[in-house]
Amino acid sequence: MADLDDLTAPPGIEIRPLETLDEVFAATDVLAEVWGGDDGGMPPNLLRALAHSGNYAVGLYDGDRMVGASVAFFAAPAERSMHSHVTGVLAEYRGTGLGRLLKQHQRAWAFTRDVGHITWTFDPLIARNAHFNLIVLGARVTEYLPNQYGPMDDVINRGDESDRLMVSWALAAPASPPAADAVVATVAVPRDIESLRSTSPAEAAAWRRRVRAEFTEQLASGLVVGGFDDARGYLFVRA
């Protein structure tokens, strides 16, 4: 996995807290553009409340332009954890390492507040997110959540059920990939489900049902997700 401590921001790139109303509304607009649709962003009043009450709410800037945003809120005090609710970077900036930079910033911010874990959810069908979360960051899958958010009307999720994986990132000790002989089962996912939703919605829906059924079967048998492999998919090991 990557050493996040070695990352540095490219020239002109800066991450700053959302402190003014203008910054809050700009973040809402950025998130709406990332997800698309009328319900794709985050309500500015909620974002303002989270930022003002001391939660993690930042904008990613290229010069004076906000090009990404990230929001997380604290869990119960005894858990020393926070939940990363939404992170997005404009399409033209994806694949440039800025998502990893945001996670580095979030991790450092959490450490200064005695937070040991960050949780978040992601769509199990999106292979690139599984690669980033489980291989690059070393987060660990803790739950499979069928249709967690119900129907969603943003462009990315519209027409599909919102199954999610909950992951927990141990900030001081990320998970390592499982040993080859520890893997006892795998669950494959499509290489590019986002394109498949556009070109063949029926096939995309079939993938959703298949992955849900296979996850349910493996978890019910006492196995847990130990990692991810780009060729084989999710790697299951004995608990």
Side-chain angles (χ1 to χ4, degrees):
M1 69 199 68
D3 186 350
L4 294 184
D5 293 324
D6 291 340
L7 295 176
T8 56
I13 299 296
E14 185 180 5
I15 299 172
R16 304 199 298 264
L18 304 177
E19 296 178 336
T20 70
L21 276 176
D22 286 345
E23 291 167 346
V24 165
F25 275 86
T28 295
D29 290 343
V30 165
L31 293 173
E33 183 173 342
V34 170
W35 271 270
D38 294 337
D39 298 327
M42 187 172 184
N45 59 340
L46 176 58
L47 182 48
R48 176 68 162 173
L50 289 171
H52 189 69
S53 57
N55 292 280
Y56 182 81
V58 303
L60 174 70
Y61 290 84
D62 183 357
D64 293 329
R65 181 191 179 198
M66 190 184 297
V67 299
S70 184
V71 182
F73 46 81
F74 293 109
E79 294 181 9
R80 295 183 59 248
S81 180
M82 68 183 193
H83 184 74
S84 183
H85 176 63
V86 62
T87 298
V89 177
L90 295 181
E92 64 201 86
Y93 287 86
R94 290 176 203 156
T96 61
L98 296 184
R100 191 178 301 183
L101 187 68
L102 275 168
K103 279 300 179 188
Q104 175 200 42
H105 184 272
Q106 195 177 74
R107 177 175 179 260
W109 188 96
F111 268 140
T112 64
R113 290 156 179 83
D114 295 324
V115 170
H117 290 79
I118 299 176
T119 64
W120 63 91
T121 64
F122 72 96
D123 187 339
L125 295 186
I126 301 181
R128 59 183 173 81
N129 285 353
H131 175 101
F132 179 69
N133 293 329
L134 305 188
I135 297 177
V136 176
L137 297 181
R140 185 179 298 279
V141 173
T142 59
E143 292 181 87
Y144 188 97
L145 304 168
N147 204 23
Q148 171 71 352
Y149 303 114
M152 302 178 71
D153 196 37
D154 60 90
V155 170
I156 293 175
N157 295 289
R158 185 178 299 144
D160 193 6
E161 292 187 274
S162 57
D163 288 23
R164 293 294 183 266
L165 289 179
M166 176 74 80
V167 296
S168 180
W169 187 26
L171 303 182
S176 298
D181 60 359
V183 177
V184 296
T186 62
V187 171
V189 293
R191 184 175 298 276
D192 186 357
I193 188 63
E194 293 154 302
S195 295
L196 199 59
R197 285 172 181 152
S198 298
T199 60
S200 181
E203 186 177 353
W207 270 107
R208 173 70 70 201
R209 294 189 297 271
R210 182 183 309 128
V211 169
R212 180 189 294 172
E214 292 181 6
F215 254 88
T216 300
E217 178 183 359
Q218 301 302 345
L219 295 175
S221 71
L223 300 181
V224 297
V225 178
F228 185 80
D229 179 82
D230 291 332
R232 293 179 291 166
Y234 293 95
L235 309 176
F236 283 79
V237 299
R238 301 192 189 282

